[in-house]
Amino acid sequence: MGQTSRSSAFRAFARRHGVSDDAITRLLWSMEPAVYFDWKAPGSVRPDDRVIGYIGGAPELPLDMEWDMGDVFVASFDLAAVPRTLFDDRLPREGHLLLFTWSDAGGGKALHIPPGTETAVAPVPVPSALDLRLGSSHMVLERRTMVASRDDAWDAHAWLIGEEYGGIWDEMEDEEAEWHARLEAAVEEYAAKVGVRPAMNNSTDKLRGVQRNVHDSWDYVTEAFQRLREEAVLALRDGPERFDEVYDRAWRELPEQPLLHLATFNMESLQYGWMDGDISWLISRDNLHARRFDKVEHHWLG
């Protein structure tokens, strides 16, 4: 298997700047691309801003779909407008990705609307008499515009990048500490050779990247993930173009399949009211590749 879009563009770019293949392999193995964004009031958007969607207000839904009572509309990403990165983020670049949460942030969902789908702005759900008796209403967030803020942003799987980057809190020891140091050295080598230090901020609002808190599904695979990375560095020295083949096989060998991050929003920034913390949408690697966004899992970190 030759190189695919996950590794080929990044490896070619980094090589041109003199980054070693060992460092490139470590970065490709442990990093996920991220798109960081800021929010603006619609009237403050400038002509040179890269608008990638909007939060709040009412969603545009397919004509045969209703806006369900209790589903709080969070955001709609125009996927064609989302900047591409040197890492393939596995997101489609057509249609729209819509995110919803519940009024208590206890659940949520994602919806991908393919291009060409006829849509309309959905009317705000009207509480029933029973809803009103139970004190329920339908929350509508303030409408704002999302603007891409960084082209060069990564996050490290399971916070594998050290505390100075906002990563693992616990002290590393022995072999694991050495693996950790090698990954940090790869980041430093890239920054020195390329002249750009990619943003690495687990706590920012973003599309893709890595969740702010380490998800439970990574609990039993972090050590295996790092060991497989160091084995791959050695195995690929004579054939780095085989990265995707080796990486895909390693994921199948992990004790369980950890979830990947899709998006995070800070609830205070959303002006959510009485709740705080972050809401995130997570997805399995297989479902991300298959674009099965109906399989997304929702998590709240309070």
Side-chain angles (χ1 to χ4, degrees), residues 18-37:
V19 182
S20 67
D21 273 321
D22 282 7
I24 294 169
T25 296
R26 288 190 175 96
L27 294 175
L28 281 169
W29 198 277
S30 293
M31 302 299 165
E32 287 292 336
V35 176
Y36 297 168
F37 49 85

Side-chain angles (χ1 to χ4, degrees), residues 103 118 120 220:
S103 57
E118 192 172 358
Y220 301 106

Side-chain angles (χ1 to χ4, degrees), residues 211 213-222 256 258-259 282 299:
Q211 191 183 17
N213 60 316
V214 182
H215 186 258
D216 292 344
S217 64
W218 281 93
D219 284 350
Y220 301 106
V221 302
T222 296
E256 62 181 73
L259 294 178
L282 307 175
H299 289 267

Side-chain angles (χ1 to χ4, degrees), residues 2-293:
Q3 286 182 308
T4 66
S5 58
R6 171 163 176 86
S7 67
S8 57
F10 179 80
R11 189 175 294 275
F13 172 83
R15 275 177 164 177
R16 286 198 301 270
H17 287 81
V19 182
S20 67
D21 273 321
D22 282 7
I24 294 169
T25 296
R26 288 190 175 96
L27 294 175
L28 281 169
W29 198 277
S30 293
M31 302 299 165
E32 287 292 336
V35 176
Y36 297 168
F37 49 85
D38 299 322
W39 304 352
K40 292 189 171 185
S44 66
V45 176
R46 300 176 307 187
D48 58 343
D49 283 334
R50 294 176 297 170
V51 174
I52 61 172
Y54 64 95
I55 65 164
E60 289 195 30
L61 296 176
L63 299 184
D64 61 351
M65 183 177 295
E66 295 183 353
W67 187 3
D68 293 334
M69 177 67 187
D71 280 352
V72 179
F73 170 62
V74 176
S76 174
F77 291 93
D78 179 356
L79 293 170
V82 173
R84 289 187 179 273
T85 65
L86 288 168
F87 281 17
D88 177 20
D89 55 26
R90 296 291 190 174
L91 290 171
R93 282 307 192 276
E94 68 280 335
H96 292 78
L97 178 66
L98 276 61
L99 302 176
F100 296 84
T101 189
W102 294 351
S103 57
D104 64 356
K109 62 185 180 182
L111 172 67
H112 179 233
I113 301 179
T117 303
E118 192 172 358
T119 61
V121 176
V124 177
V126 177
S128 67
L130 177 61
D131 291 328
L132 294 174
R133 284 200 301 271
L134 295 174
S136 299
S137 61
H138 189 86
M139 184 183 300
V140 178
L141 302 177
E142 179 185 347
R143 173 74 175 251
R144 281 178 283 173
T145 302
M146 293 188 293
V147 177
S149 59
R150 289 294 298 259
D151 288 325
D152 47 356
W154 307 337
D155 288 335
H157 278 302
W159 287 3
L160 298 178
I161 201 59
E163 191 166 353
E164 62 267 39
Y165 297 94
I168 290 177
W169 294 336
D170 297 334
E171 290 293 329
M172 299 289 101
E173 296 180 354
D174 305 326
E175 189 176 36
E176 196 170 0
E178 179 60 29
W179 297 338
H180 211 74
R182 291 172 188 167
L183 179 58
E184 292 185 358
V187 175
E188 294 302 323
E189 179 182 341
Y190 180 92
K193 297 285 188 180
V194 176
V196 173
R197 181 180 298 278
M200 297 180 66
N201 185 353
N202 283 322
S203 64
T204 191
D205 296 324
K206 60 198 168 186
L207 184 65
R208 291 291 282 116
V210 173
Q211 191 183 17
R212 182 166 78 87
N213 60 316
V214 182
H215 186 258
D216 292 344
S217 64
W218 281 93
D219 284 350
Y220 301 106
V221 302
T222 296
E223 183 177 345
F225 191 75
Q226 294 180 90
R227 178 178 290 108
L228 288 167
R229 179 189 69 215
E230 295 306 313
E231 292 173 357
V233 169
L234 297 177
L236 293 173
R237 280 178 177 165
D238 294 329
E241 71 281 353
R242 295 176 51 242
F243 175 88
D244 294 291
E245 171 193 347
V246 174
Y247 187 73
D248 289 346
R249 184 170 65 244
W251 267 80
R252 304 300 174 193
E253 294 174 1
L254 291 173
E256 62 181 73
Q257 290 295 298
L259 294 178
L260 298 178
H261 180 262
L262 182 62
T264 282
F265 285 84
N266 178 270
M267 300 186 76
E268 183 177 357
S269 299
L270 285 174
Q271 300 179 12
Y272 207 79
W274 59 274
M275 297 195 73
D276 58 11
D278 298 317
I279 46 176
S280 298
W281 292 259
L282 307 175
I283 190 170
S284 75
R285 188 169 181 265
D286 287 346
N287 285 329
L288 177 60
H289 291 188
R291 301 181 178 182
R292 290 297 308 275
F293 296 107

